[in-house]
Structures are given as C-alpha cells and as structure tokens.
Amino acid sequence: MTIKEKITQQLNKKSKSWYWLSKKSGIPLGTLYPIKSGTRTQVTFSTMEKIADALDVSLDEFRTKKNT
C-alpha cells in the first residue's frame, strides 16, 4: 500500500479531508497535493510526523514493510 493510500485510509476512517489535514497539521496544501495525487512517493520524516500527529495515529501506521 502506498503512502497516499495509507493517508487516505486514515482520513476516511475519520471522515476528514486533505484540506482538514493541511489545517490540522500545518502542512501547506502545496506539499500535500503531490502526495495525494501520487506524484510524490517519498515524504520527509518531519512531514510524516505532522501527519501522524494530526490523524492521532502512530508513525508505524505509515511504515512499509520490506521483505529481504
């Protein structure tokens, strides 16, 4: 599952929008929209930390498990 899908899933659980996430997290929409559209797949730790805090979930919710 991509980071976009994981964030969208959390937003849907809470019936919230990407706009709400921007306001709650303090992350500009210009930063969130490339994530939402899927054009940005790498997200900085500080951005993910703000997203997790806004959604009141652990950062572990957004980890991607890689098999070795």
Side-chain angles (χ1 to χ4, degrees):
M1 188 178 285
T2 66
I3 194 67
K4 167 195 162 184
E5 293 168 334
K6 290 178 181 186
I7 294 170
T8 301
Q9 183 180 51
Q10 291 298 322
L11 286 169
N12 288 341
K13 282 182 186 178
K14 298 179 183 307
S15 299
K16 301 294 183 184
S17 68
W18 285 84
Y19 177 79
W20 173 89
L21 180 59
S22 172
K23 293 299 179 190
K24 181 79 172 173
S25 67
I27 301 169
L29 282 172
T31 300
L32 290 177
Y33 277 138
I35 299 168
K36 180 182 178 186
S37 69
T39 58
R40 176 189 250 176
T41 58
Q42 299 289 323
V43 182
T44 65
F45 180 81
S46 61
T47 298
M48 283 311 308
E49 193 174 35
K50 290 176 185 177
I51 290 170
D53 287 347
L55 292 169
D56 196 28
V57 297
S58 167
L59 277 170
D60 288 339
E61 293 292 325
F62 302 108
R63 291 181 61 112
T64 55
K65 191 173 189 177
K66 295 188 179 191
N67 296 329
T68 53

